[in-house]
Amino acid sequence: MMNRQIQKSIPALCLAVLLGAASCSQEEEPSGGGTAFDGGIVFTSPYTLTRSEAMRYGSFRKGDQVGVLGYSEAFNGDLNVSSSDWNTKKQFCKPELFYNQPLRYIADGLWTYKWTGTGNVGGLHPWYADDSYTYAFFAYYPYVEVSGGTIDGGMGTITLSGDDQTGDPTITYTMPHSGSTTSATLDWQRVPDLMLAYNVAHTKAKGAVNLAFRHLFCAFEFKVNNYNTKPVTVSDLYVSGSNFYKSVTVTGQESGYQIGDDRYSGQFDIASSYAGGTFQCPAGEEIKDDDENIIEVRPATVTLTTDGTDSGDPIDLLFIPNEHGKLTEDDNKSLNLHVTIDGYQRDATMKLAGASFEPGVRSVFTINIVGNDIYLQMESDGRWDEGGDSDISFE
C-alpha cells in the first residue's frame, strides 16, 4: 500500500458482477449538473501486496470499511468548470458526490457500498452524463460514521472537514492515549493502522476508481532468538517514552502531515500482550559434526504475535514519526526498549535516541540471547534508505 504496490488487473468476473448489478435505464440526475446514465461509480484497490506494503494485517480483510469524499461539480459564478483539473477547480468544489460514504471490502481489491441518494443505480452513485467532467476522491481507513467521532473500540477519533467546505479536504486523527508519565500503561491495540488514499484525476472513461492507500504511521515488531542450549525466560519486555506525538492532520494530496500540539507519555507492555507477562524461548538446536562435536547452535525463535503462534498477526506498536523520523518531542531521548531475561542480564535497556523511523516502514527488533550476553538487532522490513540493519548491544 505504499509506492511499491504491484497492481494486477481486477478479476473480470468480479468486476462484471459489480457493474452488472448497477446497470439500469437512465435515472434522474443525482445532485444536479448532469444526467445520470447506465452504470455507476465503483472502487478498487491494489491487492497483490508484499508483507511490507500492508503493515498490520498483510492486506485489507473482508468487511473492513473506509470512508470516501467525492467531488466533481464546480461553478465559478455562472461558469461551469467541472471539466477542469482538480487544482484549478477545487476552490469551487464541495464533496457533492460523497461525504464520508462507507465502502466495505469484499476481496481481491474490490469494494462495495450502498448509496441511497436520488438517481442511484442499483445502489451505486451514477457518473454525470457529461464525459468531460473530472472527479476527485479522498479516502481514509478506518471508517467512522460521524466526523469527529470515535473509532469503534475506542481507537481514537477522526475528524473530517465539513460537507460544505470547498477545496482540499482535511482529515485529523487523534490517538486515544492519555498517559502523562513514562510509567503509564498504554494499550497498543487501540491505535489503528491509519491509511489514506486519493485519486484526483479521474474521468468516467477510466472506469473503476483505483484507491492506493498509504500508511501514516511506523510500526515496531519483536522477536527473540535463543542461541543457548537451555531455554530462557523473558519476564519483561516493553517500550516507553515521554511526549509521543498524538495527532496528525493531512490536507488533500499532501504527501506528509502536520503534527498536532497534543502529546502522551507511557509504556507499552509487549510481554503481557503476548503471554500475560512472562514467556519462554526454547533451547537452540545443537548441530554436531561426525565426532559429535558441537559446531553450531541454531537459534530457537519466538515471534511475538497476538495469538501466541508464529502464523498469527504480529504485535505492532504504531507511532507518528516527525519530519526527522523521531517519535517523541525530545527527539527520542526518552524512547527506550526494556527487556528482562531471567538468569542472565536484568533490566537491560536500549536507548533509541540515535534511531529514526519512517511512515509506512516496519522496524523489527530482534533480541538475541548468546551465552550470558544480550544483543539487539533492528532491521526495517520495507523502505529503508541505508540498508537498515544494525547490531546494537543493550546498555
Side-chain angles (χ1 to χ4, degrees):
M1 292 183 188
M2 297 182 294
N3 292 334
R4 293 184 179 181
Q5 288 167 321
I6 305 171
Q7 182 180 1
K8 286 189 175 181
S9 59
I10 301 301
L13 178 60
C14 293
L15 190 55
V17 169
L18 279 178
L19 295 173
S23 63
C24 67
S25 60
Q26 288 194 353
E27 300 287 344
E28 298 177 6
E29 61 189 24
S31 58
T35 301
F37 65 99
D38 291 352
I41 300 172
V42 296
F43 296 89
T44 62
S45 288
Y47 67 96
T48 303
L49 305 171
T50 69
R51 180 70 177 81
S52 299
E53 290 169 329
M55 291 167 59
R56 180 155 281 178
Y57 294 141
S59 66
F60 282 112
R61 291 177 173 174
K62 184 177 181 179
D64 282 345
Q65 290 191 97
V66 301
V68 172
L69 282 69
Y71 303 73
S72 184
E73 282 190 324
F75 289 87
N76 180 3
D78 294 331
L79 179 64
N80 187 343
V81 293
S82 302
S83 300
S84 300
D85 64 85
W86 174 246
N87 286 330
T88 298
K89 74 176 187 178
K90 64 184 180 182
Q91 61 182 312
F92 309 111
C93 253
K94 297 179 181 179
E96 94 287 358
L97 284 177
F98 299 114
Y99 181 75
N100 203 27
Q101 171 68 49
L103 308 182
R104 185 178 298 274
Y105 192 71
I106 304 174
D108 297 334
L110 297 175
W111 299 90
T112 187
Y113 67 96
K114 184 72 173 180
W115 187 73
T116 58
T118 301
N120 74 84
V121 183
L124 303 182
H125 197 306
W127 301 97
Y128 290 121
D130 189 333
D131 292 351
S132 69
Y133 276 24
T134 59
Y135 297 79
F137 301 93
F138 298 86
Y140 71 93
Y141 170 87
Y143 169 76
V144 288
E145 185 174 352
V146 179
S147 175
T150 300
I151 303 167
D152 288 347
M155 299 176 71
T157 59
I158 286 179
T159 303
L160 305 174
S161 51
D163 59 1
D164 60 349
Q165 177 176 315
T166 59
D168 285 316
T170 62
I171 178 170
T172 298
Y173 170 76
T174 303
M175 290 185 173
H177 304 314
S178 57
S180 58
T181 66
T182 55
S183 61
T185 300
L186 306 173
D187 184 357
W188 66 271
Q189 297 181 82
R190 295 182 63 197
V191 177
D193 188 3
L194 182 66
M195 292 182 280
L196 301 180
Y198 65 85
N199 186 330
V200 298
H202 202 79
T203 61
K204 170 223 166 185
K206 293 181 179 179
V209 180
N210 182 56
L211 297 174
F213 285 84
R214 67 181 176 98
H215 300 273
L216 268 72
F217 299 155
C218 67
F220 287 6
E221 293 180 6
F222 309 88
K223 62 181 179 179
V224 178
N225 285 334
N226 181 20
Y227 287 85
N228 295 326
T229 55
K230 294 181 179 180
V232 297
T233 298
V234 179
S235 59
D236 207 6
L237 178 60
Y238 64 92
V239 171
S240 64
S242 178
N243 291 318
F244 288 104
Y245 300 117
K246 185 174 180 177
S247 65
V248 293
T249 298
V250 178
T251 301
Q253 306 165 64
E254 184 179 19
S255 59
Y257 46 72
Q258 294 81 49
I259 293 176
D261 295 330
D262 42 356
R263 305 285 184 264
Y264 70 92
S265 302
Q267 61 179 255
F268 298 91
D269 188 345
I270 306 154
S272 291
S273 296
Y274 175 68
T278 299
F279 63 92
Q280 190 174 79
C281 188
E285 178 187 0
E286 294 181 350
I287 307 299
K288 298 181 179 180
D289 60 19
D290 293 339
D291 297 324
E292 294 299 306
N293 297 312
I294 299 174
I295 58 175
E296 180 186 355
V297 176
R298 291 179 181 170
T301 300
V302 172
T303 300
L304 277 66
T305 59
T306 55
D307 64 1
T309 68
D310 288 343
S311 60
D313 291 328
I315 293 175
D316 273 312
L317 309 188
L318 300 179
F319 300 99
I320 301 170
N322 69 13
E323 60 181 344
H324 305 296
K326 304 301 183 180
L327 310 183
T328 63
E329 196 171 50
D330 63 3
D331 291 334
N332 289 356
K333 291 177 183 177
S334 61
L335 181 61
N336 299 307
L337 186 150
H338 309 258
V339 63
T340 299
I341 309 294
D342 287 356
Y344 291 84
Q345 182 176 345
R346 300 192 61 82
D347 300 324
T349 300
M350 180 187 180
K351 299 182 182 300
L352 298 173
S356 62
F357 308 94
E358 293 183 70
V361 174
R362 176 190 301 102
S363 294
V364 181
F365 292 87
T366 303
I367 299 166
N368 299 294
I369 316 300
V370 185
N372 291 323
D373 297 320
I374 302 173
Y375 301 92
L376 182 82
Q377 181 185 40
M378 185 182 76
E379 58 183 356
S380 286
D381 178 8
R383 293 178 289 108
W384 199 243
D385 290 340
E386 299 298 334
D389 295 346
S390 59
D391 292 327
I392 308 171
S393 298
F394 283 107
E395 297 181 2

